[in-house]
Amino acid sequence: MGKKLEICCYSVISCTYAEKGGADRIELCAGRPEGGTTPSWGTVKSALEAVNIPIYVMIRPRGGDFCFNAYERAAMLEDIYSLKRLKPGGFVIGALKPNGTIDWEVIDEQLEAIGDLPVTFHRAFDMCINPEEALEGLVERGVQNILTSGLHQHAIEGLIELRRFVDLSAGRINIMAGSGVKPGNILQIAVTGAHAFHFSATEILQSPMSFRNPRINMGAKVDEFLLYEADLEQIKHAKSLIETI
Protein backbone atom coordinates (compact mmCIF):
# COMPACT_ATOMS: atom_id res chain seq x y z
CA MET A 1 0.00 0.00 0.00
CA GLY A 2 1.36 3.41 -0.98
CA LYS A 3 1.75 6.39 1.27
CA LYS A 4 -1.34 8.56 1.72
CA LEU A 5 -1.75 12.32 1.42
CA GLU A 6 -4.40 13.96 3.59
CA ILE A 7 -5.25 17.63 3.22
CA CYS A 8 -6.70 19.54 6.16
CA CYS A 9 -9.46 21.72 4.69
CA TYR A 10 -11.51 24.51 6.22
CA SER A 11 -13.83 25.19 3.29
CA VAL A 12 -15.60 23.38 0.48
CA ILE A 13 -13.48 25.06 -2.20
CA SER A 14 -10.33 23.83 -0.45
CA CYS A 15 -11.82 20.33 -0.58
CA THR A 16 -12.17 20.61 -4.35
CA TYR A 17 -8.52 21.68 -4.63
CA ALA A 18 -7.49 18.72 -2.47
CA GLU A 19 -9.23 16.32 -4.82
CA LYS A 20 -7.88 18.00 -7.97
CA GLY A 21 -4.37 17.91 -6.54
CA GLY A 22 -4.47 14.16 -5.99
CA ALA A 23 -5.05 13.96 -2.23
CA ASP A 24 -6.23 10.60 -0.96
CA ARG A 25 -8.52 12.04 1.70
CA ILE A 26 -9.58 15.20 3.49
CA GLU A 27 -9.81 16.19 7.14
CA LEU A 28 -12.63 18.74 7.22
CA CYS A 29 -12.64 21.29 10.02
CA ALA A 30 -13.92 24.67 11.08
CA GLY A 31 -11.97 27.00 13.37
CA ARG A 32 -8.58 27.37 11.68
CA PRO A 33 -7.25 29.73 14.42
CA GLU A 34 -8.19 27.13 17.06
CA GLY A 35 -6.41 24.32 15.22
CA GLY A 36 -9.60 22.71 13.97
CA THR A 37 -13.12 22.35 15.36
CA THR A 38 -16.29 20.60 14.21
CA PRO A 39 -17.56 21.97 10.88
CA SER A 40 -21.23 22.75 10.34
CA TRP A 41 -23.74 20.31 8.91
CA GLY A 42 -24.07 22.50 5.82
CA THR A 43 -20.33 22.57 5.22
CA VAL A 44 -20.02 18.81 5.57
CA LYS A 45 -23.00 18.16 3.30
CA SER A 46 -21.73 20.59 0.65
CA ALA A 47 -18.22 19.13 0.76
CA LEU A 48 -19.50 15.56 0.40
CA GLU A 49 -21.51 16.65 -2.62
CA ALA A 50 -18.53 18.46 -4.14
CA VAL A 51 -15.84 15.76 -4.00
CA ASN A 52 -15.54 12.01 -4.28
CA ILE A 53 -12.51 11.29 -2.08
CA PRO A 54 -13.12 10.36 1.58
CA ILE A 55 -13.83 13.21 4.00
CA TYR A 56 -13.02 12.66 7.67
CA VAL A 57 -14.94 15.08 9.89
CA MET A 58 -13.30 16.68 12.92
CA ILE A 59 -15.21 16.27 16.18
CA ARG A 60 -13.99 18.96 18.57
CA PRO A 61 -16.36 21.48 20.16
CA ARG A 62 -13.81 24.23 20.83
CA GLY A 63 -10.15 25.20 20.71
CA GLY A 64 -7.79 24.89 23.63
CA ASP A 65 -7.10 21.69 25.52
CA PHE A 66 -8.70 18.28 24.99
CA CYS A 67 -10.22 17.88 28.46
CA PHE A 68 -13.97 18.05 27.90
CA ASN A 69 -16.78 18.61 30.39
CA ALA A 70 -20.11 16.80 30.39
CA TYR A 71 -21.83 19.37 28.18
CA GLU A 72 -19.04 19.23 25.61
CA ARG A 73 -19.11 15.43 25.64
CA ALA A 74 -22.85 15.49 24.98
CA ALA A 75 -22.38 18.00 22.16
CA MET A 76 -19.71 15.85 20.51
CA LEU A 77 -21.95 12.79 20.60
CA GLU A 78 -24.82 14.76 19.08
CA ASP A 79 -22.49 16.00 16.33
CA ILE A 80 -21.39 12.45 15.57
CA TYR A 81 -24.93 11.08 15.41
CA SER A 82 -26.06 14.02 13.29
CA LEU A 83 -23.12 14.13 10.86
CA LYS A 84 -23.02 10.35 10.53
CA ARG A 85 -26.32 10.58 8.67
CA LEU A 86 -24.44 12.37 5.87
CA LYS A 87 -22.21 9.29 5.43
CA PRO A 88 -18.75 10.90 5.63
CA GLY A 89 -15.62 8.87 5.02
CA GLY A 90 -14.74 8.86 8.71
CA PHE A 91 -14.28 10.90 11.87
CA VAL A 92 -11.40 12.54 13.73
CA ILE A 93 -11.55 12.40 17.54
CA GLY A 94 -9.44 12.76 20.68
CA ALA A 95 -9.87 13.46 24.41
CA LEU A 96 -7.63 13.64 27.47
CA LYS A 97 -8.05 13.48 31.22
CA PRO A 98 -6.62 16.25 33.43
CA ASN A 99 -3.61 14.03 34.22
CA GLY A 100 -2.69 13.78 30.52
CA THR A 101 -3.83 10.22 29.89
CA ILE A 102 -6.32 9.37 27.17
CA ASP A 103 -9.91 9.70 28.37
CA TRP A 104 -11.00 6.24 27.29
CA GLU A 105 -14.53 6.75 28.60
CA VAL A 106 -15.04 9.60 26.13
CA ILE A 107 -13.25 7.78 23.31
CA ASP A 108 -15.22 4.57 23.81
CA GLU A 109 -18.57 6.33 23.75
CA GLN A 110 -17.58 8.18 20.59
CA LEU A 111 -16.34 5.01 18.90
CA GLU A 112 -19.62 3.30 19.73
CA ALA A 113 -21.52 6.21 18.16
CA ILE A 114 -19.27 6.20 15.08
CA GLY A 115 -19.71 2.48 14.50
CA ASP A 116 -17.93 0.96 11.52
CA LEU A 117 -16.63 4.21 9.98
CA PRO A 118 -12.85 4.74 10.01
CA VAL A 119 -11.36 6.91 12.75
CA THR A 120 -8.28 9.08 13.14
CA PHE A 121 -7.08 9.99 16.62
CA HIS A 122 -5.89 13.59 16.33
CA ARG A 123 -2.98 15.44 17.92
CA ALA A 124 -4.34 15.05 21.41
CA PHE A 125 -1.94 12.11 21.05
CA ASP A 126 0.97 14.57 21.08
CA MET A 127 -0.37 16.16 24.26
CA CYS A 128 -0.78 12.92 26.22
CA ILE A 129 1.59 11.79 28.96
CA ASN A 130 1.83 8.14 27.90
CA PRO A 131 1.91 7.88 24.08
CA GLU A 132 3.10 4.26 23.99
CA GLU A 133 0.18 3.10 26.15
CA ALA A 134 -2.13 5.35 24.15
CA LEU A 135 -1.02 3.72 20.90
CA GLU A 136 -1.73 0.25 22.28
CA GLY A 137 -5.15 1.35 23.51
CA LEU A 138 -6.04 2.77 20.10
CA VAL A 139 -4.88 -0.40 18.36
CA GLU A 140 -6.97 -2.48 20.76
CA ARG A 141 -10.04 -0.42 19.86
CA GLY A 142 -9.53 -0.71 16.11
CA VAL A 143 -8.72 2.94 15.42
CA GLN A 144 -7.20 3.22 11.95
CA ASN A 145 -4.94 6.29 12.13
CA ILE A 146 -2.94 8.39 14.59
CA LEU A 147 -2.12 11.96 13.56
CA THR A 148 1.10 13.00 15.26
CA SER A 149 4.01 15.41 15.02
CA GLY A 150 6.16 13.05 17.05
CA LEU A 151 5.40 14.93 20.29
CA HIS A 152 6.99 18.13 18.93
CA GLN A 153 5.56 21.36 17.56
CA HIS A 154 6.38 20.27 14.03
CA ALA A 155 6.83 16.82 12.54
CA ILE A 156 10.28 17.65 11.16
CA GLU A 157 11.44 18.08 14.78
CA GLY A 158 9.96 14.76 15.87
CA LEU A 159 11.58 12.36 13.42
CA ILE A 160 13.00 10.07 16.11
CA GLU A 161 9.65 9.73 17.86
CA LEU A 162 7.78 9.29 14.59
CA ARG A 163 10.08 6.41 13.69
CA ARG A 164 9.51 4.92 17.14
CA PHE A 165 5.73 5.11 16.73
CA VAL A 166 5.94 3.55 13.27
CA ASP A 167 7.99 0.69 14.73
CA LEU A 168 5.58 0.27 17.65
CA SER A 169 2.61 0.28 15.28
CA ALA A 170 3.97 -2.83 13.52
CA GLY A 171 1.38 -2.47 10.80
CA ARG A 172 -1.51 -2.48 13.27
CA ILE A 173 -2.35 1.23 12.98
CA ASN A 174 -1.31 3.94 10.53
CA ILE A 175 1.01 6.70 11.74
CA MET A 176 0.24 9.97 9.93
CA ALA A 177 2.78 12.77 10.20
CA GLY A 178 1.25 16.22 10.62
CA SER A 179 2.10 19.79 11.67
CA GLY A 180 4.52 21.77 9.58
CA VAL A 181 4.51 19.17 6.80
CA LYS A 182 5.12 20.68 3.35
CA PRO A 183 6.61 19.65 0.02
CA GLY A 184 10.01 20.90 1.15
CA ASN A 185 10.29 18.40 4.00
CA ILE A 186 8.07 15.45 3.07
CA LEU A 187 10.98 13.34 1.86
CA GLN A 188 12.87 14.00 5.11
CA ILE A 189 9.82 12.99 7.16
CA ALA A 190 9.28 9.94 4.94
CA VAL A 191 12.48 8.32 6.25
CA THR A 192 10.56 7.63 9.48
CA GLY A 193 8.37 5.18 7.58
CA ALA A 194 5.25 7.26 8.28
CA HIS A 195 2.24 5.81 6.50
CA ALA A 196 0.63 9.15 5.60
CA PHE A 197 1.26 12.88 5.48
CA HIS A 198 -1.16 15.58 6.62
CA PHE A 199 -0.97 19.29 5.82
CA SER A 200 -3.18 22.23 4.90
CA ALA A 201 -1.20 23.48 1.87
CA THR A 202 -2.21 26.99 2.85
CA GLU A 203 -2.34 29.86 0.39
CA ILE A 204 -3.28 33.33 1.67
CA LEU A 205 -5.58 35.28 -0.64
CA GLN A 206 -7.10 38.73 -0.55
CA SER A 207 -10.83 38.99 -0.01
CA PRO A 208 -12.86 40.14 -3.04
CA MET A 209 -14.40 42.87 -0.84
CA SER A 210 -13.72 46.29 -2.32
CA PHE A 211 -15.47 48.24 0.47
CA ARG A 212 -13.73 47.84 3.82
CA ASN A 213 -14.76 49.71 6.96
CA PRO A 214 -11.45 50.49 8.74
CA ARG A 215 -13.16 51.25 12.07
CA ILE A 216 -14.44 47.72 12.71
CA ASN A 217 -12.72 44.45 13.45
CA MET A 218 -14.92 41.37 13.79
CA GLY A 219 -12.41 39.11 15.47
CA ALA A 220 -9.56 39.23 17.94
CA LYS A 221 -6.51 40.55 16.07
CA VAL A 222 -7.42 38.92 12.77
CA ASP A 223 -7.62 40.38 9.30
CA GLU A 224 -11.10 39.71 7.95
CA PHE A 225 -9.91 40.47 4.44
CA LEU A 226 -7.46 37.60 4.18
CA LEU A 227 -8.69 34.21 3.01
CA TYR A 228 -6.86 30.98 3.74
CA GLU A 229 -7.41 28.20 1.22
CA ALA A 230 -5.62 25.04 0.15
CA ASP A 231 -3.20 25.68 -2.70
CA LEU A 232 -3.61 23.35 -5.66
CA GLU A 233 0.03 23.53 -6.75
CA GLN A 234 1.37 22.68 -3.29
CA ILE A 235 -0.93 19.66 -3.17
CA LYS A 236 0.15 18.47 -6.61
CA HIS A 237 3.79 18.89 -5.63
CA ALA A 238 3.34 16.98 -2.38
CA LYS A 239 1.51 14.17 -4.17
CA SER A 240 4.25 13.86 -6.81
CA LEU A 241 6.88 13.55 -4.08
CA ILE A 242 4.92 10.94 -2.16
CA GLU A 243 4.57 8.84 -5.28
CA THR A 244 8.37 8.55 -5.42
CA ILE A 245 8.64 7.04 -1.94
Side-chain angles (χ1 to χ4, degrees), residues 5-239:
L5 175 62
E6 177 178 278
I7 302 299
C8 180
C9 296
Y10 294 87
S11 70
V12 177
I13 194 167
S14 287
C15 291
T16 66
Y17 295 153
E19 183 174 54
K20 289 176 183 176
D24 297 290
R25 64 174 175 253
I26 291 163
E27 178 190 88
L28 183 59
C29 306
R32 178 187 289 269
E34 291 81 19
T37 56
T38 304
S40 71
W41 166 283
T43 297
V44 176
K45 184 174 186 295
S46 297
L48 289 167
E49 292 171 350
V51 302
N52 294 310
I53 59 175
I55 294 177
Y56 284 38
V57 180
M58 172 65 73
I59 299 296
R60 186 179 176 216
R62 55 165 173 80
D65 63 36
F66 303 105
C67 185
F68 301 114
N69 62 42
Y71 297 107
E72 291 166 334
R73 287 175 59 176
M76 288 188 286
L77 281 179
E78 288 298 327
D79 281 335
I80 290 170
Y81 285 124
S82 176
L83 293 168
K84 186 179 175 182
R85 291 164 50 198
L86 294 174
K87 299 181 180 179
F91 285 97
V92 183
I93 64 174
L96 300 177
K97 291 182 177 181
N99 66 0
T101 60
I102 304 297
D103 193 332
W104 294 117
E105 184 175 337
V106 172
I107 297 305
D108 287 343
E109 68 185 10
Q110 292 184 358
L111 289 174
E112 182 177 358
I114 290 167
D116 295 333
L117 290 175
V119 170
T120 295
F121 193 91
H122 59 50
R123 289 186 64 222
F125 182 84
D126 290 319
M127 302 294 285
C128 78
I129 196 170
N130 55 342
E132 294 85 2
E133 291 179 28
L135 186 150
E136 293 301 327
L138 294 169
V139 168
E140 180 183 335
R141 288 163 171 80
V143 171
Q144 284 77 18
N145 311 293
I146 296 174
L147 174 61
T148 174
S149 57
L151 313 182
H152 288 71
Q153 184 66 32
H154 298 119
I156 195 66
E157 300 158 0
L159 299 183
I160 293 174
E161 289 81 1
L162 282 169
R163 164 59 75 181
R164 181 160 59 92
F165 295 143
V166 169
D167 290 343
L168 287 171
S169 73
R172 300 171 298 159
I173 192 168
N174 298 314
I175 303 300
M176 178 164 51
S179 184
V181 174
K182 53 189 175 182
N185 62 23
I186 278 180
L187 294 182
Q188 289 174 272
I189 296 170
V191 302
T192 65
H195 307 104
F197 305 90
H198 167 105
F199 81 124
S200 59
T202 302
E203 179 182 23
I204 303 175
L205 305 169
Q206 281 290 330
S207 163
M209 288 291 297
S210 57
F211 173 74
R212 304 182 179 191
N213 186 341
R215 297 185 298 274
I216 297 175
N217 185 280
M218 301 301 294
K221 298 182 180 179
V222 298
D223 187 338
E224 282 82 12
F225 302 107
L226 293 180
L227 304 176
Y228 297 80
E229 300 291 355
D231 178 56
L232 179 59
E233 294 308 313
Q234 287 190 60
I235 298 167
K236 287 181 176 179
H237 189 190
K239 182 64 175 181

